Amino acid sequence: MAAENNDVIPLLSPHKMGEFSLSHRIVLAPLTRDRSYNNIPQPHAALHYSQRTTKGGLLIAEAAGVSDTAQGLPDTPGIWTKEHVEAWKPIVDAVHQKGGVFFVQLLHVGRASTYDYQPGGQAPISSTDKGLAPGLQNYAPPRKLATDEIHGIVNDFRLAARNAIEAGFDGVEINGANGYLIDQFTKDQVNNRTDEYGGSLENRCRFVLEVAEAVIDEIGAGRVGMRLSPYSDFNEAGDSDPDRLGLYLANAFSKLDLVYLHVIEPRSVGADVIEGCPEGQLLPMRKAFKNTFIVAGGFDRTTGNEVVAEGGTDLVAYGRMFLANPDLPKRFRLDAPLNKYDRSTFYTSDPVVGYNDYPFLEQA
């Protein structure tokens, strides 16, 4: 294990992201952990995130629901009430005390939900009334949103962004990926609408652009990022022309001056990485988007350094690897061995095991 000069390690070079001066290019990806009991962020999250904080490092908090209709998994955090805001504050403070830059992801799961997670046991809402095929989650058949209801959902994102800033977050990331509500509008495999929110590419993207514009109006473009997965069919949300979809949105978000665009690699599908997937598919999006570009999806130290060095991205988001190695930037700097993650503890309610007990390098 030999230390290296940070100047020759692309991932450890500084980067200016809007008004934020980042000390390195390793990002904590947003990771659902199911440990926010009754949708309330918990004190153990302050330790979890602060463990993974370095001065000038960017962290993206796990997806937080924007309303009481936005949930689809047990014990995921919300950000639509004052109680949520107050619960988030000490978590954000813990990250800021160590000099981190902290964004929170805003999410509505849409049809990826069940009656149990919906107020009054109602049907989940979506762009469509098409349900997902029966599977492990047993999602409930959704209800297609009426055209005049959509503005209310846009407003939920706006209010959630306001709450995030009140809680102290530096900004928000809008989740437009992984087959959740926004993706259910943009993808033609799901969206079967015939109004102004369906049909053409422009119509299918209308909802996400309205959400982005509303959030920008509330907190400013310099505090807003977007996550997309145009090539993924996760949650049965695929598109017949992902190249066109991704490029259209990259151009649109560049015009809106979002501080960053966070895109999941084509080779990453759910929790799996497809080997041999063609490289370079994100380059048109990368070139179209003028501000900070983030990629995610199965990168390690070597491939992360390569994609930064080759100009394929500005920042690289790490999920499972950062989950298991709270001092990941240090381990990358030293090219040190990594802890192995334990998938069986990803989605439990335990506040310690698989959450706050992964050892630091000096403890290993």
Side-chain angles (χ1 to χ4, degrees):
M1 180 172 71
E4 300 180 41
N5 188 323
N6 285 6
D7 292 340
V8 301
I9 303 176
L11 281 170
L12 294 174
S13 61
H15 175 72
K16 185 74 170 174
M17 186 184 82
E19 67 180 64
F20 305 104
S21 296
L22 305 182
S23 60
H24 59 78
R25 298 167 186 255
I26 302 164
V27 180
L28 175 66
L31 301 168
T32 293
R33 301 307 307 277
D34 291 354
R35 289 166 168 89
S36 296
Y37 313 138
N38 297 315
N39 306 131
I40 305 297
Q42 297 294 308
H44 47 249
L47 176 59
H48 178 76
Y49 286 112
S50 66
Q51 283 181 338
R52 288 155 182 79
T53 301
T54 53
K55 186 176 181 179
L58 173 62
L59 300 87
I60 307 171
E62 62 208 276
V66 299
S67 72
D68 59 357
T69 68
Q71 306 298 95
L73 290 169
D75 295 327
T76 52
I79 198 162
W80 72 87
T81 72
K82 295 302 179 186
E83 185 179 9
H84 295 143
V85 171
E86 293 304 314
W88 276 115
K89 284 182 177 179
I91 301 169
V92 177
D93 287 345
V95 170
H96 283 163
Q97 285 171 14
K98 295 182 70 174
V101 177
F102 206 14
F103 277 50
V104 62
Q105 189 183 85
L106 305 183
L107 172 69
H108 196 300
V109 300
R111 67 176 184 167
S113 187
T114 71
Y115 299 123
D116 293 338
Y117 296 111
Q118 296 301 308
Q122 300 172 18
I125 58 176
S126 180
S127 64
T128 179
D129 55 9
K130 295 189 298 184
L132 289 104
L136 294 176
Q137 301 291 344
N138 290 319
Y139 292 132
R143 177 181 69 82
K144 180 186 292 188
L145 282 162
T147 305
D148 60 5
E149 291 180 287
I150 293 176
H151 176 72
I153 308 302
V154 172
N155 197 49
D156 288 338
F157 277 90
R158 181 182 66 80
L159 295 176
R162 177 194 296 177
N163 287 342
I165 299 305
E166 184 180 341
F169 283 104
D170 296 296
V172 304
E173 174 180 283
I174 300 167
N175 189 330
N178 293 333
Y180 296 120
L181 182 62
I182 288 175
D183 217 21
Q184 292 161 28
F185 273 86
T186 60
K187 300 286 185 64
D188 59 15
Q189 180 182 342
V190 183
N191 188 336
N192 60 357
R193 305 180 70 91
T194 57
D195 61 3
E196 60 263 41
Y197 292 93
S200 68
L201 175 64
E202 293 77 11
N203 281 358
R204 286 183 279 116
C205 292
R206 188 183 308 277
F207 174 59
V208 65
L209 294 179
E210 288 181 353
V211 168
E213 289 166 355
V215 172
I216 288 169
D217 286 344
E218 187 65 39
I219 66 173
R223 296 183 180 276
V224 182
M226 176 70 65
R227 196 179 208 208
L228 298 175
S229 60
Y231 295 92
S232 173
D233 61 0
F234 189 64
N235 279 328
E236 298 176 21
D239 193 79
S240 62
D241 194 346
D243 290 330
R244 182 167 173 251
L245 172 62
L247 186 59
Y248 179 85
L249 287 174
N251 277 302
F253 294 136
S254 191
K255 291 176 182 176
L256 290 176
D257 203 26
L258 295 191
V259 71
Y260 73 72
L261 181 59
H262 181 181
V263 186
I264 299 173
E265 280 277 333
R267 62 203 181 104
S268 182
V269 179
D272 301 317
V273 174
I274 303 172
E275 298 299 333
C277 185
E279 296 182 0
Q281 281 184 278
L282 296 186
L283 283 178
M285 294 181 69
R286 158 70 162 157
K287 292 176 180 178
F289 187 73
K290 65 182 179 182
N291 293 333
T292 294
F293 199 76
I294 307 175
V295 294
F299 288 93
D300 58 18
R301 181 182 186 272
T302 298
T303 56
N305 278 319
E306 288 174 350
V307 71
V308 171
E310 293 168 0
T313 192
D314 297 303
L315 310 176
V316 181
Y318 290 87
R320 290 160 288 181
M321 197 174 288
F322 217 150
L323 177 158
N325 296 273
D327 51 356
L328 187 65
K330 179 178 181 179
R331 290 179 189 250
F332 277 6
R333 174 170 58 84
L334 299 174
D335 199 11
L338 300 177
N339 299 324
K340 294 182 179 180
Y341 57 81
D342 181 357
R343 190 182 296 275
S344 70
T345 62
F346 282 1
Y347 308 113
T348 72
S349 61
D350 196 301
V352 178
V353 177
Y355 191 65
N356 287 333
D357 62 344
Y358 282 105
F360 288 78
L361 185 58
E362 56 268 24
Q363 300 169 322

